[in-house]
Amino acid sequence: MTAHGRIVQISVSPGGVPKLSVPSARVTGLGLEGDLHRDMEHLGGPERALCIFAMEQIRVLQAEGHSVSPGAIGENVTVEGIDWERVTPGARLELGAGVLVEVTRYTSPCFNINK
């Protein structure tokens, strides 16, 4: 898949949300270094190492009155300018030099961000 976009923010957390902006992070097979999860049954692991979300969708939520910003909904990488119709399980995204990730599945919102 060839799609060009940009990374708006990289976010990590010691556990929970919001995740906080960092200038860079090393990607491992289990996610971003420095990003921890309180619930290892439902979060993290090699099939759920990163969560990617669109800045365009954050703007839609903000316009609806939601107090949301990059990292607030638990995503590790906030991007913009990507054709989300093409981001399906099996799609691969290059997130900078030498970082290739594969979409394994869609996720559902965490109960921690219900409000």
Side-chain angles (χ1 to χ4, degrees):
M1 170 170 108
T2 302
H4 299 280
R6 75 176 192 92
I7 295 174
V8 174
Q9 182 169 303
I10 299 169
S11 306
V12 300
S13 167
V17 290
K19 292 187 182 286
L20 304 174
S21 177
V22 293
S24 64
R26 186 171 172 270
V27 178
T28 73
L30 295 177
L32 298 182
E33 280 188 352
D35 189 47
L36 304 175
H37 305 282
R38 291 185 299 212
D39 178 2
M40 290 303 292
E41 180 182 346
H42 299 101
L43 304 169
E47 299 265 327
R48 296 177 285 199
L50 293 175
C51 182
I52 301 171
F53 200 71
M55 187 66 207
E56 292 89 346
Q57 188 60 41
I58 289 173
R59 288 187 190 109
V60 168
L61 293 168
Q62 289 170 335
E64 291 175 354
H66 300 280
S67 177
V68 64
S69 59
I73 54 176
E75 80 278 12
N76 301 108
V77 183
T78 309
V79 297
E80 70 179 348
I82 292 181
D83 179 1
W84 285 94
E85 296 293 319
R86 299 177 66 190
V87 180
T88 58
R92 293 182 176 180
L93 303 171
E94 186 175 12
L95 302 176
V99 179
L100 182 66
V101 298
E102 182 174 330
V103 177
T104 56
R105 64 182 171 177
Y106 303 112
T107 190
S108 55
C110 175
F111 71 90
N112 287 315
I113 60 168
N114 276 345
K115 60 181 177 154

mmCIF file of all heavy atoms in Angstrom, residues 57-74:
data_model
loop_
_atom_site.group_PDB
_atom_site.id
_atom_site.type_symbol
_atom_site.label_atom_id
_atom_site.label_comp_id
_atom_site.label_asym_id
_atom_site.label_seq_id
_atom_site.Cartn_x
_atom_site.Cartn_y
_atom_site.Cartn_z
ATOM 1 N N GLN A 57 -10.064 12.419 12.547
ATOM 2 C CA GLN A 57 -11.170 11.955 13.387
ATOM 3 C C GLN A 57 -11.181 12.688 14.724
ATOM 4 O O GLN A 57 -12.254 12.970 15.273
ATOM 5 C CB GLN A 57 -11.094 10.444 13.603
ATOM 6 C CG GLN A 57 -12.298 9.880 14.308
ATOM 7 C CD GLN A 57 -13.600 10.112 13.544
ATOM 8 O OE1 GLN A 57 -13.643 9.992 12.327
ATOM 9 N NE2 GLN A 57 -14.654 10.451 14.249
ATOM 10 N N ILE A 58 -10.018 13.001 15.247
ATOM 11 C CA ILE A 58 -9.959 13.784 16.487
ATOM 12 C C ILE A 58 -10.612 15.145 16.261
ATOM 13 O O ILE A 58 -11.377 15.624 17.101
ATOM 14 C CB ILE A 58 -8.505 13.921 16.986
ATOM 15 C CG1 ILE A 58 -8.019 12.563 17.508
ATOM 16 C CG2 ILE A 58 -8.381 15.000 18.066
ATOM 17 C CD1 ILE A 58 -6.547 12.515 17.876
ATOM 18 N N ARG A 59 -10.356 15.761 15.113
ATOM 19 C CA ARG A 59 -10.992 17.059 14.805
ATOM 20 C C ARG A 59 -12.512 16.928 14.715
ATOM 21 O O ARG A 59 -13.239 17.815 15.158
ATOM 22 C CB ARG A 59 -10.414 17.628 13.518
ATOM 23 C CG ARG A 59 -8.990 18.121 13.680
ATOM 24 C CD ARG A 59 -8.499 18.839 12.418
ATOM 25 N NE ARG A 59 -7.087 19.093 12.524
ATOM 26 C CZ ARG A 59 -6.141 18.460 11.812
ATOM 27 N NH1 ARG A 59 -6.475 17.540 10.929
ATOM 28 N NH2 ARG A 59 -4.873 18.751 11.976
ATOM 29 N N VAL A 60 -13.002 15.827 14.139
ATOM 30 C CA VAL A 60 -14.453 15.588 14.072
ATOM 31 C C VAL A 60 -15.023 15.494 15.487
ATOM 32 O O VAL A 60 -16.048 16.110 15.798
ATOM 33 C CB VAL A 60 -14.770 14.304 13.262
ATOM 34 C CG1 VAL A 60 -16.224 13.891 13.438
ATOM 35 C CG2 VAL A 60 -14.432 14.495 11.796
ATOM 36 N N LEU A 61 -14.374 14.737 16.353
ATOM 37 C CA LEU A 61 -14.834 14.595 17.736
ATOM 38 C C LEU A 61 -14.798 15.934 18.475
ATOM 39 O O LEU A 61 -15.723 16.254 19.228
ATOM 40 C CB LEU A 61 -13.984 13.555 18.469
ATOM 41 C CG LEU A 61 -14.136 12.116 17.969
ATOM 42 C CD1 LEU A 61 -13.054 11.226 18.555
ATOM 43 C CD2 LEU A 61 -15.521 11.579 18.278
ATOM 44 N N GLN A 62 -13.759 16.724 18.245
ATOM 45 C CA GLN A 62 -13.675 18.048 18.862
ATOM 46 C C GLN A 62 -14.828 18.935 18.393
ATOM 47 O O GLN A 62 -15.439 19.641 19.198
ATOM 48 C CB GLN A 62 -12.331 18.712 18.530
ATOM 49 C CG GLN A 62 -11.159 18.079 19.231
ATOM 50 C CD GLN A 62 -9.813 18.578 18.717
ATOM 51 O OE1 GLN A 62 -9.685 19.038 17.571
ATOM 52 N NE2 GLN A 62 -8.790 18.468 19.558
ATOM 53 N N ALA A 63 -15.149 18.885 17.107
ATOM 54 C CA ALA A 63 -16.254 19.680 16.560
ATOM 55 C C ALA A 63 -17.591 19.269 17.157
ATOM 56 O O ALA A 63 -18.505 20.093 17.266
ATOM 57 C CB ALA A 63 -16.288 19.557 15.034
ATOM 58 N N GLU A 64 -17.708 18.011 17.580
ATOM 59 C CA GLU A 64 -18.925 17.525 18.234
ATOM 60 C C GLU A 64 -18.972 17.913 19.711
ATOM 61 O O GLU A 64 -19.936 17.606 20.400
ATOM 62 C CB GLU A 64 -19.017 15.999 18.114
ATOM 63 C CG GLU A 64 -19.266 15.507 16.711
ATOM 64 C CD GLU A 64 -19.233 13.987 16.611
ATOM 65 O OE1 GLU A 64 -18.895 13.302 17.614
ATOM 66 O OE2 GLU A 64 -19.544 13.477 15.519
ATOM 67 N N GLY A 65 -17.898 18.538 20.210
ATOM 68 C CA GLY A 65 -17.880 18.990 21.593
ATOM 69 C C GLY A 65 -17.106 18.105 22.551
ATOM 70 O O GLY A 65 -17.094 18.356 23.757
ATOM 71 N N HIS A 66 -16.469 17.070 22.042
ATOM 72 C CA HIS A 66 -15.692 16.182 22.901
ATOM 73 C C HIS A 66 -14.343 16.813 23.235
ATOM 74 O O HIS A 66 -13.699 17.395 22.366
ATOM 75 C CB HIS A 66 -15.476 14.823 22.229
ATOM 76 C CG HIS A 66 -16.742 14.107 21.924
ATOM 77 N ND1 HIS A 66 -17.440 13.400 22.876
ATOM 78 C CD2 HIS A 66 -17.445 13.998 20.766
ATOM 79 C CE1 HIS A 66 -18.523 12.876 22.318
ATOM 80 N NE2 HIS A 66 -18.544 13.227 21.047
ATOM 81 N N SER A 67 -13.928 16.672 24.471
ATOM 82 C CA SER A 67 -12.634 17.175 24.911
ATOM 83 C C SER A 67 -11.596 16.096 24.648
ATOM 84 O O SER A 67 -11.297 15.271 25.510
ATOM 85 C CB SER A 67 -12.685 17.529 26.405
ATOM 86 O OG SER A 67 -11.415 17.950 26.837
ATOM 87 N N VAL A 68 -11.083 16.075 23.444
ATOM 88 C CA VAL A 68 -10.147 15.035 23.023
ATOM 89 C C VAL A 68 -8.995 15.694 22.278
ATOM 90 O O VAL A 68 -9.173 16.715 21.617
ATOM 91 C CB VAL A 68 -10.866 13.970 22.160
ATOM 92 C CG1 VAL A 68 -11.389 14.541 20.880
ATOM 93 C CG2 VAL A 68 -9.992 12.777 21.904
ATOM 94 N N SER A 69 -7.827 15.114 22.434
ATOM 95 C CA SER A 69 -6.628 15.605 21.771
ATOM 96 C C SER A 69 -5.733 14.395 21.486
ATOM 97 O O SER A 69 -5.999 13.297 21.981
ATOM 98 C CB SER A 69 -5.911 16.620 22.660
ATOM 99 O OG SER A 69 -5.564 16.019 23.892
ATOM 100 N N PRO A 70 -4.674 14.567 20.706
ATOM 101 C CA PRO A 70 -3.798 13.430 20.440
ATOM 102 C C PRO A 70 -3.322 12.783 21.746
ATOM 103 O O PRO A 70 -2.912 13.464 22.676
ATOM 104 C CB PRO A 70 -2.637 14.053 19.666
ATOM 105 C CG PRO A 70 -3.276 15.200 18.942
ATOM 106 C CD PRO A 70 -4.263 15.754 19.944
ATOM 107 N N GLY A 71 -3.430 11.469 21.802
ATOM 108 C CA GLY A 71 -3.027 10.697 22.976
ATOM 109 C C GLY A 71 -4.135 10.489 23.991
ATOM 110 O O GLY A 71 -4.057 9.592 24.823
ATOM 111 N N ALA A 72 -5.185 11.295 23.935
ATOM 112 C CA ALA A 72 -6.247 11.236 24.946
ATOM 113 C C ALA A 72 -7.084 9.967 24.867
ATOM 114 O O ALA A 72 -7.679 9.562 25.859
ATOM 115 C CB ALA A 72 -7.156 12.464 24.840
ATOM 116 N N ILE A 73 -7.148 9.355 23.713
ATOM 117 C CA ILE A 73 -7.964 8.151 23.591
ATOM 118 C C ILE A 73 -7.113 6.881 23.593
ATOM 119 O O ILE A 73 -7.603 5.807 23.285
ATOM 120 C CB ILE A 73 -8.880 8.212 22.366
ATOM 121 C CG1 ILE A 73 -8.091 8.496 21.101
ATOM 122 C CG2 ILE A 73 -9.953 9.248 22.553
ATOM 123 C CD1 ILE A 73 -8.925 8.467 19.854
ATOM 124 N N GLY A 74 -5.844 7.044 23.941
ATOM 125 C CA GLY A 74 -4.981 5.890 24.139
ATOM 126 C C GLY A 74 -4.145 5.481 22.950
ATOM 127 O O GLY A 74 -3.442 4.479 23.013
#
